[in-house]
């Protein structure tokens, strides 16, 4: 230790307070050296905090475990505290609190709950410091990079959760109660370590009441839609609005429309960042040119490029615009401004020409990624909380509270659903197996949100032509493909 | 009595120095250390990569784009802010009509104006950003600026403001000016109050108008204060993070038109989990800021006027 050597050099304050006029210059220098010696180890200690903590191994000796029984199949340690970090966005966090209350009652344990919109900035230092919370709803604009977390061994393998008996029927495994795409989407490689709890229906949202009152019907094809837009504009309304502040809202429709027309195989090439994946796909041209046409004909509500998602939803709620690209959380999120009897509804993707997927195809995807920290203090408890949330009781509670579906299949059968949710589950049932799921935004948010988002913003204001959008998008995708600092992922289905 | 004087001094200096070393110096040193690694920020392990991050930074169009916007703001925002601050302070202190028994006075109601000018300084920058984001709301009914333009018959000037590529950066710069002018009004007022009244009296007797009084007397005597304000305002223009992060569309958009260095750093660290690269950006920002401060103080030096 450096600090002890300071005492050996004889320059401690006591030895230099003799009859002289105070310590000389040399003593002062010695003292500052001693100060330096104290400081250096302190700094070394601090650096250790920032970059030295945690290891690469995945075993977690400090994790709390208890005895496995029929009622406690994962082996939760009774009384061991649990910490949950829940994204508090469009869905709020009450549904998670309700599940935590059940956990608390069953295992007589303290549950610490944090609801936040900034999962990433708040939890990055905790992961780096080796004391992450047990359960995290890693959602929102500031979420943690799950690819990095997964590849660096920070995520608990959730296979045990999938194989545990479900809470409602001990004869059934959790695996068999949830939608298969949840398991597909939650994998990094062969390892299932992310549970997407909600099930989001993406699409074109509209007011059934408004359409009925004007005698319009939801269009089936892109051409029909453009024709209807003309009618709408003549009636003095804007056909579309969108959240220009977050252009990726437009991608909910734009990307899915490409996948529907061009087929999943070609979309997978895009997800995998294959060379020429955008430029060689004719569906890309078809869809993007269609957006160029919408922009040229001024079918977007003026000023949409400066609106937040909330502002665009409010304008839509007020009947200023007819269509809005969005996800099924919109019903809950826009509830404060939605007028009585609005008749919120969602439509399936439009047909183009020579489509690879049939009419009724829908982008429906598992969402709200829940992760359990492998190095947390109570990973088993974290999984158990998820098992509680996957029960029919909590799935129905979720549907009631936040008007959204969960990954638990058929959980809402027989319930009276709110208009938007009822419409969402109707189109979901109609779509059958024709579901689209996209990975690009999940894997490369910098590419989709910032780069392609910037291009889409310009496309929708008419500053960029479709051909340039495609060329530049391909160039940005190629840049990511070449960038060795970005972890790459591949999918086959 | 010299007895124990140094012990006394060192005793008082050591704790603050230690705190300073631990909480200010050491993070700076660590930033240099981290900028040489590929640290992800999520786990402890990091690999030493030498100057790779700096090479990457040098070749990054995005970072140059962000730096360029900071430089635009640096060229414009301090001039406008300090200029307006000086003008208002002059009007509040010296610009009024002459009254009995007073050589110089401010315009009528100057105390009230001072309060109004200073008000934005009291509000948190986050709240300012949110307020102005809503003022710039493009909706002709809900957006204050657009509905105001509509109300006075200037519909043609209605715009998407923050969503407009050519305007967005200037809309944000305007908020920066709005938020800081008040501080300089108060600062310059205080400095002006210390200028002896008889100098003004002599000038007035010689028949000097407001214009000459300002440029021949007030400004030269205020030079030190202006210079300090310049450095301070320059550093604010080189930051601009909070305003851009909250107000800009698509985080530094549209299409990168409002991106600034600290936002790039934030996204690189927290969105892309590349803390090593982000630390290199931090080091580059430190270099730019230091260069600006040193150059300003070097070239703005004037002979001090004693009075």
């Amino acid at each position: 230790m450096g600090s002890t050597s300071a005492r050996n050099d004889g320059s401690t304050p006591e030895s230099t307070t003799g009859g002289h006029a105070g310590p000389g210059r040399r003593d002062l220098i010695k003292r500052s050296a001693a100060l330096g010696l104290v400081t250096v180890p302190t700094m070394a200690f601090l650096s250790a905090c920032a970059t030295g903590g945690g290891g690469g191994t995945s075993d977690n000796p400090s994790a709390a475990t208890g005895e496995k029984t029929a009622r406690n199949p994962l082996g939760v340690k009774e009384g061991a505290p649990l910490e949950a970090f829940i994204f508090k966005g469009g869905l709020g966090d009450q549904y998670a609190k309700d599940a935590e209350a059940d956990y608390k009652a069953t295992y007589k344990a303290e549950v610490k709950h944090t609801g936040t919109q900034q999962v990433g900035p708040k939890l990055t230092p905790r992961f780096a410091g080796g004391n992450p919370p047990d359960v995290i709803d890693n959602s929102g604009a500031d979420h943690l990079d799950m690819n990095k977390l997964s590849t660096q061994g920070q995520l608990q393998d959730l296979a045990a959760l999938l194989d545990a008996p479900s809470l409602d029927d001990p004869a059934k495994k959790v695996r068999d109660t949830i939608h298969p795409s949840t398991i597909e989407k939650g994998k990094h490689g062969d390892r299932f370590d992310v549970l997407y709890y909600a099930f989001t229906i993406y699409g074109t949202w509209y007011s059934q009441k408004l359409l009925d009152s004007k005698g319009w019907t939801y269009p089936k094809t892109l051409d029909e839609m453009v024709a209807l837009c003309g009618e709408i504009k003549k009636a003095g309304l804007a056909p579309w609005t969108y959240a220009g502040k977050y252009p990726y809202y437009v991608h909910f429709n734009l990307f899915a429309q490409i996948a529907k027309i061009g087929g999943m195989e070609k979309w997978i090439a895009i997800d995998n960042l294959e060379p020429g994946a955008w430029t060689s796909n004719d569906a890309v041209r078809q869809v993007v040119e269609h957006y160029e046409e919408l922009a040229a004909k001024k079918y977007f509500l003026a000023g949409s490029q400066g609106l937040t998602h909330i502002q665009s939803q409010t304008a839509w709620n007020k009947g200023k615009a007819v269509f809005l690209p969005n996800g099924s959380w919109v019903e809950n999120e826009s509830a404060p401004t939605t007028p009585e009897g609005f008749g919120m509804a969602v439509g399936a993707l439009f047909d183009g020409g020579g489509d690879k997927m049939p009419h009724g195809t829908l982008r429906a995807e598992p969402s709200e990624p829940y992760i359990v920290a492998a190095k947390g203090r109570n990973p088993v408890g974290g999984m158990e909380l998820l098992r509680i949330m996957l029960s029919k009781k909590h799935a129905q509670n979720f549907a009631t509270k936040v008007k959204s579906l969960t990954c638990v299949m058929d959980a809402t059968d027989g319930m009276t659903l709110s208009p938007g949710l009822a419409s969402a589950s109707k189109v979901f049932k109609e779509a059958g197996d024709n579901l689209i799921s996209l990975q690009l935004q999940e894997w490369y948010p910098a590419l989709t949100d910032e780069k392609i988002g910037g291009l889409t913003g310009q496309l929708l204001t008419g500053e960029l032509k479709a051909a340039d959008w495609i060329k530049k998008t391909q160039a940005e995708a190629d840049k990511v493909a070449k960038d060795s600092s970005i972890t790459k992922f591949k999918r086959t289905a | 009595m010299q007895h124990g004087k140094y012990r006394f001094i060192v005793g008082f200096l050591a704790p603050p120095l230690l705190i300073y070393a631990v909480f200010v110096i050491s993070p700076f040193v660590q930033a240099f250390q981290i900028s040489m690694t590929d640290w992800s920020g999520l786990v402890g392990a990091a690999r030493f990569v030498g100057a790779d991050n700096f090479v990457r930074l040098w070749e990054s169009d995005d970072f140059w784009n962000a730096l360029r916007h900071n430089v635009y703001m640096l060229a414009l925002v301090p001039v406008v802010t300090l200029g307006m601050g000086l003008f208002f302070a002059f009007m509040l202190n010296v610009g009024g009509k002459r009254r009995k028994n007073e050589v110089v006075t401010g315009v009528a109601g100057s105390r009230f104006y001072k309060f109004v000018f200073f008000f934005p300084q009291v509000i948190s920058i986050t709240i300012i950003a949110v307020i102005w984001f809503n003022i710039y709301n493009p909706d002709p009914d809900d957006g204050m600026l657009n509905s105001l333009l509509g109300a006075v018959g200037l519909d043609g000037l209605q715009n998407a403001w923050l969503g407009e590529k050519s305007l967005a950066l200037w809309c944000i710069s305007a908020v920066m000016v709005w938020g800081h002018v008040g501080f300089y009004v108060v600062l310059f007022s205080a400095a002006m109050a210390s200028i002896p009244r008889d100098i003004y009296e002599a000038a007035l007797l010689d028949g000097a108008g407001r214009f000459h009084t300002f440029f021949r007397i007030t400004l030269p005597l205020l030079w030190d204060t202006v210079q300090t304000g310049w450095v301070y305002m320059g550093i604010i223009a080189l930051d601009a993070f909070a305003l851009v992060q909250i107000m800009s569309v698509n985080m530094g958009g549209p299409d990168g038109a409002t991106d600034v260095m600290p936002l790039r750093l934030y996204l690189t660290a927290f969105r892309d989990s590349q803390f090593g690269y982000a630390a290199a950006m931090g080091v580059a920002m430190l270099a730019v800021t230091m260069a600006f401060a040193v150059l300003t103080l070097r070239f703005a030096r004037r002979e001090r006027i004693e009075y």
Side-chain angles (χ1 to χ4, degrees):
Chain A
M1 280 297 281
S3 53
T4 50
S5 68
R7 205 161 279 174
N8 300 334
D9 68 1
S11 67
T12 47
E14 288 78 15
S15 68
T16 51
T17 49
H20 301 296
R25 212 182 148 88
R26 272 185 56 201
D27 288 320
L28 207 63
I29 291 170
K30 272 192 204 160
R31 271 182 210 178
S32 44
L35 188 66
L37 286 172
V38 179
T39 319
V40 168
T42 321
M43 275 166 57
F45 168 72
L46 279 180
S47 342
C49 286
T51 53
T57 52
S58 57
D59 57 330
N60 186 355
S62 63
T65 46
E67 206 176 315
K68 290 182 188 174
T69 63
R71 282 206 53 213
N72 181 8
L74 293 165
V76 177
K77 189 179 175 194
E78 206 162 282
L82 184 77
E83 185 180 358
F85 229 84
I86 308 296
F87 174 69
K88 197 175 177 178
L91 305 175
D93 63 346
Q94 186 56 45
Y95 71 92
K97 282 185 186 164
D98 294 343
E100 287 161 16
D102 275 10
Y103 182 93
K104 216 169 179 170
T106 316
Y107 296 104
K108 299 171 190 68
E110 271 312 304
V111 181
K112 190 178 172 219
H113 175 97
T114 310
T116 180
Q117 295 216 353
Q118 290 179 310
V119 180
K122 284 190 178 160
L123 290 187
T124 300
R126 292 195 54 185
F127 271 100
N131 65 331
D134 302 304
V135 190
I136 301 150
D137 172 14
N138 185 29
S139 194
D142 285 324
H143 64 268
L144 290 158
D145 185 338
M146 280 185 294
N147 312 327
K148 282 252 163 69
L149 286 176
S150 178
T151 48
Q152 302 198 329
Q154 296 285 320
L155 298 187
Q156 173 73 30
D157 190 334
L158 299 177
L161 170 67
L162 290 184
D163 292 326
S166 85
L167 213 60
D168 301 308
D169 179 3
K172 246 182 171 177
K173 284 180 181 176
V174 168
R175 177 190 298 278
D176 302 321
T177 63
I178 63 181
H179 199 274
S181 63
T182 315
I183 297 171
E184 197 48 52
K185 191 171 169 103
K187 276 184 182 169
H188 284 107
D190 288 334
R191 201 179 144 99
F192 177 76
D193 49 19
V194 183
L195 175 77
Y196 289 86
Y197 181 62
F199 210 85
T200 299
I201 313 294
Y202 296 90
T204 302
W205 292 76
Y206 59 93
S207 157
Q208 191 62 56
K209 184 187 169 197
L210 179 66
L211 255 56
D212 290 346
S213 71
K214 303 274 185 181
W216 297 326
T217 44
Y218 183 80
K220 269 190 166 171
T221 67
L222 284 174
D223 291 340
E224 275 179 43
M225 194 264 282
V226 175
L228 179 60
C229 285
E231 295 278 312
I232 293 171
K233 197 157 186 206
K234 261 185 238 153
L237 296 177
W240 286 86
T241 186
Y242 60 96
K245 192 165 198 267
Y246 309 105
Y248 58 80
Y249 272 70
V250 181
H251 296 163
F252 296 157
N253 272 5
L254 197 157
F255 287 180
Q257 199 70 61
I258 291 172
K260 180 199 184 282
I261 297 174
M264 275 314 285
E265 203 174 303
K266 285 195 166 171
W267 181 269
I268 287 169
I270 289 177
D271 275 348
N272 290 344
L273 301 175
E274 279 171 28
W278 292 92
T279 46
S280 68
N281 186 345
D282 196 56
V284 175
R285 195 189 48 76
Q286 207 183 119
V287 172
V288 179
E289 275 177 0
H290 158 76
Y291 275 90
E292 182 187 304
E293 185 185 358
L294 291 183
K297 291 186 171 163
K298 302 211 177 308
Y299 284 165
F300 295 106
L301 178 69
S304 290
Q305 70 265 40
L307 298 178
T308 63
H309 56 304
I310 302 286
Q311 288 169 340
S312 68
Q313 285 159 198
T314 306
W316 170 67
N317 275 171
K318 284 182 179 171
K320 289 183 179 180
V322 179
F323 299 124
L324 180 78
N326 219 319
S328 47
W329 62 80
V330 64
E331 186 174 33
N332 193 47
E333 198 173 50
S334 70
T337 54
T338 309
E340 195 74 22
F342 184 73
M344 198 175 285
V346 57
L349 291 162
F350 305 110
D351 297 340
D355 293 22
K356 291 282 189 313
M357 295 181 84
H359 183 74
T361 296
L362 198 64
R363 179 177 175 200
E365 273 189 46
S367 59
E368 289 301 300
Y370 271 76
I371 51 179
V372 175
K375 302 212 169 92
R377 259 176 257 142
N378 194 0
V380 177
M383 285 197 279
E384 179 66 12
L385 179 67
L386 295 182
R387 198 173 72 101
I388 293 173
M389 286 171 65
L390 291 172
S391 67
K392 202 160 191 162
K393 174 185 163 194
H394 284 283
Q396 292 197 345
N397 181 43
F398 186 76
T400 316
K401 285 246 163 70
V402 303
K403 307 182 181 71
S404 171
L405 301 171
T406 60
C407 62
V408 184
M409 279 187 296
D410 305 325
T412 54
D413 282 0
M415 282 174 73
T416 315
L417 302 175
S418 56
L421 184 58
S423 166
S425 45
K426 182 169 159 274
V427 287
F428 179 60
K429 288 247 157 75
E430 283 167 2
D433 287 337
N434 298 312
L435 299 181
I436 287 170
S437 95
L438 315 171
Q439 288 287 17
L440 197 70
Q441 195 198 10
E442 205 67 58
W443 286 347
Y444 313 108
L447 172 68
T448 54
D449 300 0
E450 183 184 327
K451 298 300 178 190
I452 305 181
L455 296 172
T456 304
Q458 286 179 284
L459 177 75
L460 267 48
T461 51
E463 284 165 74
L464 197 70
K465 294 279 165 253
D468 293 322
W469 187 96
I470 297 167
K471 209 166 69 193
K472 289 184 174 177
T473 294
Q474 183 66 59
E476 295 294 349
D478 291 345
K479 248 192 248 173
V480 173
K482 278 195 210 100
D483 189 340
S484 60
S485 66
I486 298 169
T487 318
K488 305 296 187 311
F489 289 88
K490 294 272 173 223
R491 64 185 284 198
T492 47
Chain B
M1 272 290 281
Q2 290 283 312
H3 187 74
K5 191 178 91 178
Y6 286 103
R7 184 160 54 155
F8 179 78
I9 293 174
V10 171
F12 267 82
L13 275 183
L17 273 179
L18 190 71
I19 290 171
Y20 188 79
V22 170
F23 290 105
V24 181
I25 309 284
S26 87
F28 267 105
V29 175
Q30 270 193 65
F32 279 95
Q33 179 205 333
I34 293 169
S35 71
M36 302 281 203
T37 67
D38 67 347
W39 189 37
S40 71
L42 294 174
V43 288
R47 201 163 47 88
F48 181 80
V49 294
D52 280 12
N53 286 327
F54 291 95
V55 174
R56 216 176 126 198
L57 194 60
W58 185 261
E59 289 164 355
S60 160
D61 295 339
D62 289 336
F63 191 75
W64 285 111
N65 176 48
L67 176 63
R68 199 175 64 239
H69 295 141
N70 276 121
V71 171
Y72 286 164
M73 288 197 209
L74 180 63
L76 184 84
V77 173
V79 184
V80 177
T81 312
L82 296 183
M84 287 171 77
L86 271 172
F87 174 73
F88 289 134
F90 182 74
M91 293 310 278
L92 292 182
N93 291 286
V94 191
K97 276 190 196 138
R98 218 186 293 184
R99 258 173 274 163
K100 256 187 194 168
N101 303 326
E102 284 199 59
V103 184
V104 284
T105 55
V107 293
S110 56
R111 272 156 187 261
F112 174 70
Y113 289 132
K114 241 181 245 184
F115 171 75
V116 171
F117 280 132
F118 196 70
F119 194 62
Q121 199 65 33
V122 185
I123 317 173
S124 137
I125 192 81
T126 328
I127 296 170
I128 290 179
V130 172
I131 291 173
W132 277 90
F133 181 80
N134 284 300
I135 291 177
Y136 285 135
N137 179 350
D139 192 298
D141 304 320
D142 295 337
M144 203 200 272
L145 187 55
N146 272 350
S147 59
L148 199 71
L149 287 170
V152 296
L154 292 170
D155 305 46
L157 290 179
Q158 283 178 347
N159 220 310
W161 306 117
L162 296 166
E164 185 64 48
K165 211 174 163 182
S166 55
L167 288 176
L169 187 66
W170 309 122
C171 289
I172 291 174
S173 303
V175 178
M176 206 186 273
V177 172
W178 182 85
H180 288 98
V181 160
F183 175 76
Y184 291 98
V185 172
V186 174
L187 180 75
F188 293 146
S189 292
M192 280 178 197
S194 69
I195 298 175
R197 304 275 111 171
D198 27 345
I199 300 183
Y200 284 115
E201 199 169 4
L204 289 169
L205 284 175
D206 288 342
R210 280 181 191 174
F211 183 81
H212 283 106
T213 324
F214 179 76
F215 280 102
R216 296 289 165 82
I217 298 176
T218 312
L219 189 57
L221 289 176
L222 242 55
W223 193 251
D224 276 355
T225 317
V226 173
Q227 193 184 319
T228 312
W230 192 275
V231 173
Y232 184 63
M233 203 56 222
I235 290 170
I236 287 170
L238 283 174
D239 175 16
F241 172 71
L243 288 179
V244 173
Q245 205 242 1
I246 298 169
M247 293 176 70
S248 69
V249 306
N250 198 25
M251 280 280 200
D255 202 35
T258 57
D259 204 2
V260 288
M261 291 187 291
L263 182 68
R264 200 87 325 253
L265 189 155
Y266 172 82
L267 290 176
T268 307
F270 291 105
R271 182 191 61 191
D272 306 341
S273 293
Q274 299 181 6
F275 273 65
Y277 186 34
M281 290 181 177
V283 171
M285 272 170 59
L286 176 73
V288 172
T289 314
M290 293 284 271
F292 160 74
V294 169
L295 289 177
T296 309
L297 292 174
R298 179 73 194 80
F299 288 110
R301 195 178 292 162
R302 290 273 200 293
E303 207 171 309
R304 193 178 224 128
I305 301 165
E306 304 279 348
Y307 49 85

